[in-house]
Amino acid sequence: MSDDDAGAVPPGTDVEELRALARSLAREAGALVREGRPARVEVAATKSSAVDPVTAMDRASEELLRTRLAAERPDDAILGEEGDDVPGTSGLTWVLDPIDGTVNYLYGVSSYAVSVAVVAGPPDPERWTALAGCVHSVVDGRTWTAARGGGAERDGRALRVSAPPSLAQSLVGTGFGYAAERRARQAEVLAEVLPRVRDIRRLGAAAIDLCLVAEGALDLYYERGINAWDVAAGGLVAAEAGAWVGGLRGRGPSSTMTVAGAVPVVAELVALLEDAGADGREGVTRS
Ligand code: LIP
């Protein structure tokens, strides 16, 4: 499948079957993470910066997901946070975040999840077609799923985004990067946003934040710097619950910026972020 076939869904694809598999895989990896958490979690290595950790459990959870997928879906490709890309022939790619919210996992703060999604087309949030996904909150077991055209649900309850009357009345989720320079810039943007919204929540796991938008526990979400595996499942859950999920300046969701929320209020947030140069453009020499 070439890049020109962006998002072409292979004939005979059963998105409900894929949703069921994503759910069982996320729960199985979630059980491993929950039952195997040592009293004191050690940092096994760091990645993009000294405060971007990976733990032995991030790797073990991803290994379990990859092993199960190799058995269940041998022709599909895999894009995972902690391992090498695996090519496929089916046109489908599984996008894995073995522990989203690793810093929370490290500190024992309860907001962390296993995120499993499957997409058609190039493994790029701006060009793929997300088909099914599951976000499983490890500590309390909340499980969000979605299937393309099949809606979003949490533990059997159908989800619908909230309809906040205005940006000023909106509860907004966001997050900050692992590089100090990036955080400095994000703090400047936050100073523009905070006086214009009800309040901010920094919960620490983008996949869960997007699912909270889907169920109306957050009205809006935005973040610069999140990866494909952070947004793959949560973005579909939010979209299937009625949220607009995109970027700035007409772009789709990407590491440059990901924004989610109910129309029309989300447009107010997008305009505010564009004016603030939150995507690193417009006279901003810093990152
Ligand atoms: C995390 C995201 C979070 C963001 C963190 C980090 P990880 O993903 O879920 O929204 O603020 O900087 O990117 O690293 O735990 O998979």
Side-chain angles (χ1 to χ4, degrees):
M1 173 176 287
S2 75
D3 274 2
D4 306 339
D5 299 336
V9 181
T13 297
D14 179 337
V15 292
E16 288 303 337
E17 186 189 298
L18 295 173
R19 181 198 320 233
L21 180 55
R23 182 193 285 116
S24 79
L25 291 175
R27 282 188 164 150
E28 192 180 337
L32 175 80
V33 175
R34 189 171 41 254
E35 286 144 27
R37 186 178 190 282
R40 189 179 161 71
V41 177
E42 302 291 340
V43 172
T46 56
K47 299 185 288 185
S48 64
S49 81
V51 292
D52 179 5
V54 60
T55 69
M57 193 53 88
D58 287 273
R59 292 172 174 161
S61 171
E62 182 149 332
E63 191 50 42
L64 179 155
L65 292 169
R66 285 171 178 262
T67 304
R68 298 279 281 100
L69 281 167
E72 296 273 347
R73 305 278 312 183
D75 302 331
D76 296 353
I78 294 176
L79 167 66
E81 178 169 8
E82 307 304 348
D84 300 334
D85 299 355
V86 174
T89 56
S90 66
L92 301 186
T93 299
W94 290 83
V95 185
L96 310 176
D97 193 335
I99 302 180
D100 186 38
T102 299
V103 171
N104 284 347
Y105 171 73
L106 193 61
Y107 283 81
V109 174
S110 64
S111 190
Y112 53 91
V114 178
S115 175
V116 175
V118 57
V119 303
D124 166 2
E126 285 195 83
R127 296 186 296 146
W128 66 29
T129 299
L131 300 178
C134 177
V135 175
H136 173 69
S137 172
V138 172
V139 173
D140 59 18
R142 287 172 298 164
T143 303
W144 297 268
T145 74
R148 182 178 167 77
E153 58 88 38
R154 171 163 67 90
D155 303 313
R157 181 168 65 87
L159 303 179
R160 198 82 210 137
V161 288
S162 65
S166 67
L167 185 60
Q169 304 250 353
S170 292
L171 186 63
V172 179
T174 194
F176 312 108
Y178 287 123
E181 192 184 8
R182 166 67 56 82
R183 288 198 297 278
R185 182 72 196 101
Q186 289 171 316
E188 291 170 353
V189 170
L190 184 61
E192 306 253 344
V193 172
L194 197 48
R196 306 275 301 278
V197 300
R198 173 192 291 271
D199 204 345
I200 289 283
R201 291 291 178 272
R202 199 294 191 243
L203 300 171
I208 293 180
D209 292 347
L210 288 159
C211 291
L212 294 179
V213 168
E215 63 177 57
L218 287 173
D219 296 310
L220 298 165
Y221 165 79
Y222 77 93
E223 187 162 357
R224 175 169 165 72
I226 60 168
N227 299 290
W229 42 78
D230 297 315
V231 69
L236 182 64
V237 170
E240 284 291 324
W244 177 89
V245 181
L248 303 187
R249 307 180 209 283
R251 290 186 57 180
S254 72
S255 59
T256 301
M257 181 57 74
T258 295
V259 185
V263 174
V265 171
V266 69
E268 290 182 60
L269 178 60
V270 166
L272 171 56
L273 293 170
E274 288 175 349
D275 291 349
D279 53 351
R281 285 184 53 182
E282 196 180 54
V284 178
T285 53
R286 296 171 300 247
S287 69

